[in-house]
C-alpha cells in the first residue's frame, strides 16, 4: 500500500510543482511538498508572513492534496467536479488512496491554475 501512496504522491506533486517559479517551496521531501507565496500576506493577522498556497502530504491512510484558494476564494467551489467533491475532506483538502483518475487530475490542474491566476489578480502572490 505504501508504494501506491508514493506513486500517488509522485503523481500529485507536479500539479503544484508547475508553479515553483511563482511560489516558494517551503518543504520538499518524499512525504511532504508545501508551497507558500513569495510575498508577504496582505492580511494583518499574518503579520507579514507568506500565505500557505497548497501542498501534498503522504499520510498513513491516504495522500492529501491541499489548495488554500478553495477556502479563501469560495467562488472556486463551483469548479469542483462531483467526482472530485467526493474526495474532499474539509474546505481545502482532497484525499486519495490511489493515483487520481485522469478526470480528477484534470480538475485538480484546472483548480490550481485558477488559484494561481486569481491570487495573482488579487496581488497575493
Amino acid at each position: 500500500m505504501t508504494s501506491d501512496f508514493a506513486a500517488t504522491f509522485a503523481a500529485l506533486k507536479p500539479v503544484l510543482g508547475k508553479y515553483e517559479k511563482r511560489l516558494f517551496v517551503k518543504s520538499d521531501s518524499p512525504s511532504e511538498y508545501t508551497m507558500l507565496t513569495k510575498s508577504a500576506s496582505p492580511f494583518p493577522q499574518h503579520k507579514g508572513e507568506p500565505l500557505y498556497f497548497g501542498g501534498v502530504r503522504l499520510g498513513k491512510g491516504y495522500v492529501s492534496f491541499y489548495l488554500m484558494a478553495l477556502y479563501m476564494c469560495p467562488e472556486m467551489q463551483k469548479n469542483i467536479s462531483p467526482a472530485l467533491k467526493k474526495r474532499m475532506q474539509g474546505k481545502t483538502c482532497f484525499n486519495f488512496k490511489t493515483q487520481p483518475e485522469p478526470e480528477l487530475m484534470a480538475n485538480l490542474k484546472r483548480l490550481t491554475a485558477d488559484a494561481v491566476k486569481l491570487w495573482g489578480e488579487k496581488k497575493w502572490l
Side-chain angles (χ1 to χ4, degrees), residues 10-123:
L12 290 168
K13 181 180 168 183
V15 175
L16 287 170
K18 176 179 180 178
Y19 302 99
E20 282 187 1
K21 290 184 178 168
R22 295 209 52 197
L23 299 163
F24 171 73
V25 178
K26 181 182 180 193
S27 176
D28 187 359
S29 74
S31 63
E32 182 180 356
Y33 185 68
T34 304
M35 298 188 85
L36 308 176
T37 59
K38 287 185 176 180
S39 58
S41 167
F43 305 107
Q45 65 267 33
H46 292 121
K47 300 178 179 147
E49 293 294 318
L51 290 173
Y52 175 83
F53 182 83
V56 182
R57 186 179 154 278
L58 193 154
K60 289 182 183 180
Y62 39 74
V63 178
S64 300
F65 182 92
Y66 298 92
L67 191 60
M68 187 55 71
L70 295 171
Y71 173 76
M72 296 181 73
C73 305
E75 66 272 19
M76 289 185 62
Q77 294 282 331
K78 70 182 186 300
N79 298 327
I80 303 171
S81 70
L84 188 58
K85 189 85 164 171
K86 290 178 183 177
R87 305 287 187 136
M88 201 164 193
Q89 178 72 36
K91 294 181 181 181
T92 66
C93 178
F94 301 96
N95 291 328
F96 300 92
K97 290 191 175 195
T98 59
Q99 290 186 50
E101 295 82 9
E103 171 197 336
L104 299 180
M105 284 297 286
N107 196 192
L108 282 174
K109 288 176 182 179
R110 276 192 309 275
L111 287 169
T112 305
D114 290 349
V116 169
K117 182 179 182 218
L118 190 58
W119 279 30
E121 290 169 357
K122 292 179 181 281
K123 310 245 186 286

